[in-house]
Amino acid sequence: MTSSTTAPPVDVAVTELTIGGMTCASCAARVEKKLNRLDGVTATVNYATEKARIEHPPEVGVDALIATVVKTGYTAEEPPPPEPEPTAAPEDREPARDPELASLRQRLTVSALLSAPVVLLAMVPSLQFDNWQWLSLTLAAPVVVWGGLPFHRAAWTNLRHGAATMDTLVSVGTLAAFGWSLWALFLGDAGMPGMRHGFDLTVDRSEASSAIYLEVAAGVVTFILLGRYLEARAKRKAGAALRALMELGAKDVAVLRGGTEVRVPVAALRTDDLFVVRPGEKIATDGTVTEGASAVDASLLTGESLPLDVTAGSDVAGGCVNVSGRLVVRATRVGADTQLARMAKLVEDAQNGKAEVQRLADRISAVFVPVVLLVALGTLVTWLLLTDDPTASFTAAVAVLIIACPCALGLATPTALMVGTGRGAQLGILIKGPEVLESTRRVDTIVLDKTGTVTTGRMRLAGVRVYGGKYATDATDETELLRLAGALEHSSEHPVARAVAAGAVERCGELPVPKTFENVPGLGVRGSVDGHLVLVGRAALLTAEGVDVPTGAEPGAVHVAWDGVARGTLTVADTVKDTSAEAVARLRGLGLRPVLLTGDHRAVAEAVAAEVGIDEVIAEVLPEEKAEVVRRLQAEGRTVAMVGDGVNDAAALATADLGLAMGTGTDAAIEASDLTLVRGDLRVAADAIRLARRTLATIKGNLGWAFGYNVAALPLAAAGLLNPMIAGLAMAFSSVFVVSNSLRLRRFT
């Protein structure tokens, strides 16, 4: 299995830090490298989520980790607990409510207003009037100095720490263009009245002392600010699903104290507290209904649109909405233990993880900026040697500096992962880590546990057989068989007995009360009903009582006898879920070969398999043998996915190449799996694999664009085929393209 959420050793602490000041993937790579140099520390820093997940020995404290990040030139702090706002959904909020986004928008707006005339004057010679260049300088200076301040500040910080990032490229490029312009204006001929300036999409060759690059300096700053702003907004949308999940819970709750309702904050709720949920209110925490009946809308939690009917004894999850009646619920899990909190944590952990392909991109980003600086220097020297034209040489070098940004590389994987895992959470699919995506692509066989996965796990009476011939010594019909067997089984707590009793009540109505009742462990029950000595259970029970048992009974059938004569058999079967056949068809459509795995008798398993459309059945398997079955399939060369929901499935889920746990199952199964399906609907397994594959395809498309962009753009810039301002525009929108492509996953259905 490839889950990225494998628990660290007991003697290792796990800390999550929010990292501030990162502006590109190379920043994240630097922080990660510095943290990993500490003894015993393993860190993963994600640029898109701006978080670091750090495994460290207890002797390396959180303060030491934060100090290391600060020494690297960035800020770090432990993230505060979420403080949900009860207003609009996160994706609908105005960006201005985010201070960082509001500041960026203000800087962008002012820079755009000031730089627009500068660019127009430079590009349209007919607009140039006497001394127009001095107006351009007046407008461009604030853009370069104040608008580009974040780039210059970050570049200076990186320089003091002996590093270079994307900000270094932008700062050096824009300041070089601005500095050249100042020299030409004040010391050259560019400041003369009547000076005119042309514009070309490629490198322009002109007299060095009369060439100014104010439109490049101002335009590039504005374009990159625009790219940063759009990127920040898109990243915010990418994380909206997780924020919505974290903000799904109720804010306060009406707790019953001494029979009186007292409204308290949800944080004050404790296990075993009784609380009231009225129609339209959210259920405050996980619990069990003790009074009332209602329909509960769990769509925001599970993706299931139909409300669920609940009555006394039903389990409910926090965050669901009570649709109709009044409920009294006993809290069973509170705080971080609730299903909602655990879902949010799983999604957040997945978004903070890194796929192997992302680690490769990060390594490239870490060395990319220094390489680009060398390429720019080489471009300048080469052009000077070949053309002896300082203006063209300078222009080509600046274009190289500006166009070569590794941001798209750094955003390619995490943004797609953020959107994909967030959309999965909305649909009731929890992807535990990025490595899971690769597994979904390779899987060719899917093993389905029968009970609780393909079937409901609830037994039902499936058939009644009355014996004839020598065994029918008196008149016996189905009704009589069911009445007497059902009456005796009604006193038993065994699941099979309860299924027989329920079927008998449904077909026969009121049942007689046994005069005597005895449970025979492992064999069945016996007792006196309506004057008859009745036996119900295995064939061995009847044989032990001296009753002759007919041959040819179905495996696993419940035998019924009274007054020393075998009267018939009852067949009890697990109920197949209504959606299982459709789910199996969908899995086949994804190129997967379904296999039914169960501990039941082969005849029972094959009947279920035939009903849902599965050809391959592995039956009569002990719980501890399930993992061995998975290993055997893998030894045959298959890449195996396993779907299960019970404790006895946990080992098999962990052994499989891809483990999918039904969220209706046990904690052990969920912890051992790679994908958790919040609903108990097998169709979600097909959706989960499809979503994971779509997310992986988006990541590969993003990386293909990011690599292709840089591979194509750098030679063009070095060859003088790109004006620096056009290069700035292209660079800014390369990152926007990657994030926008990832956002398409929000429309996955």
Side-chain angles (χ1 to χ4, degrees):
M1 193 179 75
T2 57
S3 175
S4 64
T5 56
T6 304
V10 177
D11 58 346
V12 173
V14 178
T15 297
E16 188 177 275
L17 297 178
T18 299
I19 310 296
M22 294 192 299
T23 55
C24 65
S26 55
C27 296
R30 284 190 59 231
V31 176
E32 189 173 294
K33 184 177 179 181
K34 292 286 186 182
L35 287 170
N36 284 326
R37 284 181 177 173
L38 298 174
D39 289 339
V41 171
T42 302
T44 299
V45 181
N46 191 311
Y47 167 53
T49 60
E50 298 178 339
K51 287 182 179 177
R53 185 181 186 275
I54 309 164
E55 295 178 11
H56 58 99
E59 57 268 22
V60 179
V62 176
D63 290 342
L65 299 174
I66 292 175
T68 300
V69 177
V70 172
K71 286 178 184 176
T72 312
Y74 305 90
T75 63
E77 61 181 3
E78 292 187 88
E83 297 181 4
E85 300 175 24
T87 52
E91 60 266 34
D92 297 329
R93 294 182 192 146
E94 281 297 316
R97 296 190 183 182
D98 183 332
E100 184 179 348
L101 205 57
S103 173
L104 189 55
R105 182 169 64 174
Q106 181 187 48
R107 204 176 290 272
L108 169 62
T109 302
V110 173
S111 297
L113 290 173
L114 293 177
S115 60
V118 178
V119 174
L120 280 173
L121 286 170
M123 293 181 69
V124 185
S126 61
L127 296 178
Q128 295 170 3
F129 51 87
D130 287 348
N131 296 313
W132 66 273
Q133 65 271 43
W134 296 104
L135 174 63
S136 292
L137 175 62
T138 304
L139 296 173
V143 176
V144 176
V145 177
W146 176 78
L149 185 61
F151 310 123
H152 308 320
R153 186 187 292 129
W156 173 246
T157 301
N158 290 322
L159 180 62
R160 287 191 294 113
H161 290 88
T165 65
M166 170 233 172
D167 294 294
T168 307
L169 302 180
V170 175
S171 180
V172 169
T174 54
L175 288 179
F178 189 66
W180 180 290
S181 302
L182 290 179
W183 171 78
L185 284 169
F186 288 98
L187 301 176
D189 301 329
M192 300 291 291
M195 190 276 281
R196 296 292 182 267
H197 194 295
F199 181 82
D200 197 338
L201 293 177
T202 59
V203 167
D204 181 31
R205 303 189 184 192
S206 60
E207 176 59 39
S209 62
S210 63
I212 59 174
Y213 294 94
L214 294 173
E215 79 283 2
V216 170
V220 166
V221 167
T222 303
F223 289 144
I224 296 176
L225 284 173
L226 175 62
R228 284 273 178 93
Y229 176 71
L230 294 175
E231 176 189 311
R233 277 186 61 112
K235 281 166 62 179
R236 184 172 177 79
K237 288 181 181 178
L242 175 59
R243 288 193 299 276
L245 195 63
M246 297 177 73
E247 296 177 4
L248 192 58
K251 310 301 178 289
D252 53 26
V253 56
V255 181
L256 287 176
R257 300 274 164 83
T260 304
E261 293 184 25
V262 181
R263 190 152 292 271
V264 300
V266 168
L269 200 59
R270 297 291 178 264
T271 303
D272 289 331
D273 279 352
L274 290 173
F275 61 92
V276 176
V277 189
R278 291 184 173 78
E281 291 183 341
K282 289 181 179 179
I283 297 171
T285 193
D286 296 0
T288 303
V289 177
T290 60
E291 293 179 31
S294 180
V296 170
D297 179 4
S299 59
L300 290 176
L301 198 65
T302 67
E304 175 59 67
S305 58
L306 294 176
L308 307 173
D309 292 326
V310 297
T311 57
S314 300
D315 292 329
V316 290
C320 299
V321 178
N322 181 17
V323 177
S324 50
R326 177 182 181 272
L327 297 175
V328 178
V329 181
R330 183 181 300 280
T332 55
R333 286 177 172 175
V334 296
D337 293 330
T338 64
Q339 183 180 356
L340 178 62
R342 291 164 70 202
M343 283 175 62
K345 181 61 178 170
L346 281 173
V347 176
E348 190 171 22
D349 287 346
Q351 293 184 350
N352 286 336
K354 284 188 180 181
E356 190 57 39
V357 69
Q358 176 62 26
R359 296 186 187 279
L360 172 63
D362 285 351
R363 287 195 294 271
I364 292 172
S365 297
V367 300
F368 193 75
V369 173
V371 168
V372 168
L373 289 171
L374 291 175
V375 170
L377 182 61
T379 300
L380 177 65
V381 172
T382 302
W383 271 77
L384 282 172
L385 291 175
L386 294 178
T387 66
D388 198 26
D389 185 341
T391 304
S393 305
F394 174 80
T395 306
V398 169
V400 168
L401 286 173
I402 291 171
I403 201 165
C405 168
C407 278
L409 281 176
L411 291 167
T413 296
T415 51
L417 192 63
M418 285 172 70
V419 182
T421 53
R423 181 58 180 151
Q426 291 175 328
L427 298 174
I429 301 165
L430 304 182
I431 302 172
K432 282 194 175 179
E435 296 90 344
V436 173
L437 305 178
E438 286 286 351
S439 300
T440 61
R441 180 178 60 85
R442 297 191 302 267
V443 165
D444 54 36
T445 300
I446 185 161
V447 177
L448 307 175
D449 174 61
K450 181 182 77 68
T451 306
T453 302
V454 176
T455 63
T456 62
R458 296 187 297 274
M459 309 300 286
R460 63 177 174 84
L461 182 64
V464 181
R465 177 188 176 193
V466 178
Y467 291 145
K470 67 175 182 176
Y471 297 101
T473 56
D474 52 17
T476 302
D477 59 16
E478 286 190 8
T479 301
E480 184 70 4
L481 188 76
L482 276 175
R483 277 186 74 254
L484 297 182
L488 202 58
E489 294 282 56
H490 201 276
S491 299
S492 174
E493 292 298 319
H494 193 281
V496 171
R498 287 190 295 196
V500 169
V505 169
E506 183 181 334
R507 298 191 191 187
C508 307
E510 188 174 351
L511 302 176
V513 178
K515 187 174 181 180
T516 62
F517 172 83
E518 181 186 356
N519 180 48
V520 183
L523 293 178
V525 294
R526 63 185 165 202
S528 176
V529 183
D530 283 354
H532 301 286
L533 179 61
V534 183
L535 303 172
V536 184
R538 296 178 184 271
L541 174 65
L542 276 64
T543 302
E545 296 288 334
V547 177
D548 188 11
V549 179
T551 58
E554 290 185 35
V558 178
H559 294 260
V560 183
W562 62 80
D563 298 337
V565 178
R567 308 288 174 163
T569 58
L570 305 173
T571 306
V572 175
D574 196 356
T575 307
V576 174
K577 293 179 181 178
D578 295 337
T579 58
S580 291
E582 182 185 347
V584 169
R586 289 189 186 183
L587 291 168
R588 285 188 184 278
L590 292 171
L592 303 177
R593 178 179 175 184
V595 177
L596 187 68
L597 178 66
T598 180
D600 278 356
H601 293 283
R602 173 163 290 278
V604 175
E606 288 179 345
V608 171
E611 186 174 345
V612 298
I614 297 176
D615 302 324
E616 189 172 350
V617 177
I618 302 175
E620 300 175 17
V621 177
L622 295 174
E624 59 269 23
E625 294 174 343
K626 288 186 175 182
E628 183 55 40
V629 169
V630 172
R631 280 192 285 268
R632 190 167 70 241
L633 291 171
Q634 290 170 329
E636 294 173 5
R638 304 197 209 178
T639 303
V640 180
M642 167 79 189
V643 186
D645 74 330
V647 171
N648 58 6
D649 298 322
L653 288 168
T655 304
D657 300 283
L658 179 70
L660 297 91
M662 292 289 193
T664 50
T666 63
D667 290 349
I670 292 170
E671 286 299 319
S673 67
D674 297 302
L675 289 160
T676 299
L677 315 176
V678 178
R679 299 208 308 271
D681 186 340
L682 188 57
R683 290 177 300 181
V684 184
D687 291 337
I689 292 173
R690 203 160 50 85
L691 173 61
R693 288 180 175 179
R694 180 81 59 84
T695 304
L696 180 63
T698 301
I699 288 173
K700 290 187 172 181
N702 286 347
L703 287 171
W705 163 262
F707 277 113
Y709 160 80
N710 279 298
V711 167
L714 268 176
L716 289 175
L721 298 176
L722 284 176
N723 182 286
M725 192 172 64
I726 303 301
L729 181 63
M731 185 275 284
F733 279 95
S734 67
S735 297
V736 176
F737 171 84
V738 163
V739 180
S740 301
N741 188 47
S742 299
L743 287 175
R744 294 191 305 133
L745 287 168
R746 297 172 78 195
R747 298 195 294 271
F748 177 88
T749 57

